[in-house]
């Protein structure tokens, strides 16, 4: 009875998945829905917001600071000195002070470098989001395509099972009529059972493909979705050189590293000038316990010059670290550029290979179907053994499956080529 459990479980799962009417989605609509609902991409958006806020800490804006200072002391002994009819208190036993201190920077070295670093850090953060978007477009598009392919493979497996059942019926008729050996019937039934097992595996594959697409769309895994091949093939550059140039200019990984190099170069400049003087205006107002030499209210306004003449070698050390990080990023950019070029060349070669294979398997499928027709006729005329019909039927199923896979491979290669060139990021992110 165990062998009955797998089809039963599959039937129950498929009935659950089909309980709700399927939503019809084009590939472009699936990508747009993923931009809205994919949890990973939503996390990337929050990461962008956090990174931009973090970069704003180094934004070279002369922001004033205002501090409230409060102090209360019990002290002693009391210090007084004679003045007129009573002693004047110099140091009271209780002292309190409430003050406001305002400081406004006027000048600091490296303002232009700080602005360049801020803009580069913001640009790098945006490229991180663009990279996440580029990867999500590829993943959703390929998951969409995988679902189409899995359902096509399920259709092919069903046709193969129907062919096997028809073959069993034909063999049974011939055995009953005394035109075929009795041993042919068990062999045909075994082949039919194998075809049904293949159908179960194909159905499981379609369910997994549906779950993967729904996962990327942020939906429940069993939501029913109706998909279809795009009306036109995804467009790619006209030549390999054009594809390489496009990838060099648009791949977010490369643009991100270039922005990081700009930020690191600006950071090196800032590290060199951190020991130069800075000027600020400082104003303070205090309300305090009066004494013989101080009033109850006190204020002051002036300029503050800060110039670290000796910093224990901090400037030199920070500059050395910044230069090393800059060279590290330049090396990483060189490595990434080589990797991107290899990605583009690999995707381009995969497109050419997939096109050639699609033409080949189409011809093979037609030839296999013709060979099956001939084998069936020969078997009915008792001029061919059952083994020949079995082989021909298996060849048809394999050829049809290969044709489906070849079409999937071509679309997948085109999508990989677009991803390698970041072509889907030519439009603004939603």
């Amino acid at each position: 009875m165990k062998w009955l459990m797998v089809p039963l479980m599959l039937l129950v799962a498929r009935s659950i998945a089909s309980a709700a009417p399927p939503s019809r989605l084009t590939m472009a609509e699936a990508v747009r829905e993923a931009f809205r609902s994919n949890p990973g991409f939503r996390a990337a958006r929050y990461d962008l917001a956090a990174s931009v806020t973090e970069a704003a800490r180094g934004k070279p804006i002369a922001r004033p600071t205002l501090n409230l200072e409060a102090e209360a002391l019990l002290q002693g002994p009391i210090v007084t000195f004679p003045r007129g009819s009573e002693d004047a208190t110099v140091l009271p036993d209780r002292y309190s002070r409430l003050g406001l201190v305002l400081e406004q920077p006027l000048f600091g070295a490296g303002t232009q470098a700080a602005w360049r670093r801020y803009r580069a850090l913001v640009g790098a953060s945006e490229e991180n989001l663009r990279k996440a978007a580029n990867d999500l477009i590829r993943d959703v598009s390929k998951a969409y395509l995988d679902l189409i392919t899995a359902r096509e493979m399920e259709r092919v497996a069903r046709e193969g099972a129907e062919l096997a059942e028809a073959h069993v019926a034909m063999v049974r008729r011939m055995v009953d009529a005394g035109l075929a050996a009795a041993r042919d019937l068990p062999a045909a039934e075994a082949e039919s059972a194998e075809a049904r097992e293949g159908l179960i595996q194909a159905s499981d594959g379609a369910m997994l493909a549906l779950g993967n697409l729904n996962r990327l769309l942020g939906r429940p895994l069993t939501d029913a979705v109706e998909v279809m091949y795009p009306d036109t093939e995804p467009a790619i550059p006209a030549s390999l050189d054009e594809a390489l140039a496009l990838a060099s200019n648009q791949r977010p990984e490369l643009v991100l590293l270039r922005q990081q190099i700009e930020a690191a170069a600006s950071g090196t400049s800032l590290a060199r000038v951190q020991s130069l003087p800075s000027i600020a205006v400082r104003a303070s107002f205090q309300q305090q316990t009066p004494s013989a030499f101080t009033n109850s209210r006190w204020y002051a306004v002036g300029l503050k010059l800060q110039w670290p003449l000796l910093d224990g070698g901090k400037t030199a050390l920070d500059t050395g670290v910044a230069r090393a990080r800059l060279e590290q990023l330049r090396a990483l950019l060189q490595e990434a550029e080589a990797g991107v070029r290899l990605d583009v060349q690999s995707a381009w070669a995969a497109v050419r290979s997939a096109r050639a294979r699609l033409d080949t398997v189409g011809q093979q499928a037609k030839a296999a179907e013709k060979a099956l027709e001939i084998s069936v006729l020969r078997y009915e005329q008792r001029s061919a053994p059952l083994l020949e019909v079995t082989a021909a039927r298996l060849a048809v199923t394999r050829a049809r499956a290969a044709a489906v896979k070849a079409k999937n491979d071509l679309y997948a290669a085109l999508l990989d080529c677009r991803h390698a060139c970041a072509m889907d990021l030519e439009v603004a992110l939603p």
Side-chain angles (χ1 to χ4, degrees):
M1 295 297 292
K2 290 184 178 180
W3 65 273
L4 287 174
M5 293 302 296
V6 174
L8 182 60
M9 292 172 63
L10 178 62
L11 181 61
V12 171
R14 289 175 64 84
S15 64
I16 294 174
S18 60
S23 58
R24 187 181 182 90
L25 276 181
T26 65
M27 186 178 289
E29 289 170 345
V31 170
R32 287 195 293 270
E33 181 173 336
F35 276 134
R36 293 191 303 268
S37 306
N38 180 268
F41 191 68
R42 189 165 62 249
R45 288 186 183 277
Y46 285 121
D47 182 67
L48 170 63
S51 298
V52 171
T53 304
E54 182 72 23
R57 293 182 178 181
K59 194 174 182 179
I61 296 177
R63 301 183 180 94
T65 59
L66 180 63
N67 295 320
L68 175 65
E69 299 177 355
E71 183 179 14
L73 298 175
L74 293 176
Q75 55 190 9
I78 299 174
V79 178
T80 62
F81 73 93
R83 188 179 66 179
S85 61
E86 59 182 33
D87 293 342
T89 301
V90 177
L91 183 65
D93 61 344
R94 289 180 175 84
Y95 174 79
S96 62
R97 179 179 64 86
L98 182 65
L100 288 174
V101 179
L102 174 68
E103 189 168 309
Q104 171 67 58
L106 297 179
F107 169 78
T111 301
Q112 292 183 349
W115 272 111
R116 289 197 302 271
R117 184 177 66 173
Y118 167 72
R119 287 191 290 265
L121 289 174
V122 171
S125 301
E126 292 172 347
E127 289 304 318
N128 262 325
L129 181 64
R130 283 168 54 82
K131 180 182 182 302
N134 195 35
D135 291 344
L136 183 61
I137 291 170
R138 175 200 58 192
D139 293 344
V140 171
S141 299
K142 294 185 76 171
Y144 185 97
L145 184 62
D146 287 343
L147 178 57
I148 295 175
T149 302
R151 288 177 174 172
E152 285 291 302
M153 296 295 279
E154 184 181 14
R155 178 185 60 78
V156 169
R158 184 175 294 105
E159 291 174 354
E162 291 170 355
L163 279 176
E165 288 294 335
H167 183 60
V168 169
M170 180 189 69
V171 172
R172 183 177 289 111
R173 289 194 304 270
M174 294 187 67
V175 169
D176 292 343
L179 300 177
R183 64 177 179 273
D184 287 352
L185 183 57
E189 290 174 341
E191 294 162 9
S192 179
E194 183 178 354
R196 289 195 300 271
E197 180 183 356
L199 175 58
I200 291 174
Q201 293 175 354
S203 298
D204 288 342
M207 287 182 59
L208 291 175
L210 173 64
N212 186 46
L213 178 60
N214 279 327
R215 175 186 65 85
L216 292 170
L217 298 181
R219 295 182 173 191
L221 297 185
T222 56
D223 271 11
V225 180
E226 183 180 349
V227 294
M228 66 218 77
Y229 272 112
D231 295 333
T232 57
E233 288 185 356
I236 61 173
S239 66
L240 178 58
D241 290 339
E242 183 181 342
L244 290 170
L246 198 61
S248 178
N249 292 329
Q250 294 190 170
R251 273 290 285 268
E253 297 92 327
L254 301 184
V255 181
L256 168 63
L257 282 169
R258 290 169 189 146
Q259 294 281 9
Q260 289 178 335
I261 288 173
E262 175 66 18
S266 302
T268 303
S269 300
L270 288 172
R272 286 198 302 265
V273 303
Q274 64 180 309
S275 60
L276 296 181
S278 61
I279 300 175
V281 61
R282 181 184 177 91
S284 61
F285 173 81
Q286 296 187 13
Q287 178 77 31
Q288 60 190 8
T289 301
S291 67
F293 299 114
T294 59
N295 202 341
S296 61
R297 288 182 176 86
W298 177 87
Y299 67 88
V301 178
L303 292 177
K304 175 185 174 183
L305 173 66
Q306 186 172 344
W307 193 343
L309 298 178
L310 292 176
D311 61 0
K314 182 177 182 300
T315 298
L317 292 173
D318 289 349
T319 302
V321 171
R323 286 173 176 167
R325 295 299 184 194
L326 177 59
E327 293 305 319
Q328 178 191 26
L329 288 170
R330 286 172 175 165
L332 289 174
L333 176 61
Q334 184 178 0
E335 181 183 26
E337 287 175 337
V340 166
R341 285 195 296 270
L342 186 60
D343 283 349
V344 174
Q345 291 172 356
S346 176
W348 189 265
V351 170
R352 295 180 59 188
S353 176
R355 287 195 188 281
R357 186 167 179 271
L358 183 62
D359 294 337
T360 300
V361 297
Q363 297 172 3
Q364 290 174 343
K366 292 179 181 179
E369 291 169 357
K370 187 64 176 177
L372 177 60
E373 293 176 4
I374 295 173
S375 295
V376 170
L377 289 175
R378 281 167 48 80
Y379 181 76
E380 290 175 343
Q381 296 171 3
R382 305 182 67 183
S383 60
L386 178 64
L387 183 61
E388 179 181 319
V389 178
T390 301
R393 181 186 58 77
L394 184 60
V396 168
T397 301
R398 287 177 175 174
R400 289 174 179 174
V404 172
K405 187 176 185 304
K407 188 174 182 179
N408 174 79
D409 289 346
L410 175 58
Y411 270 83
L414 292 169
L415 292 173
D416 283 336
C417 188
R418 289 184 65 85
H419 174 269
C421 299
M423 293 181 66
D424 294 303
L425 294 180
E426 294 174 352
V427 296
L429 291 176

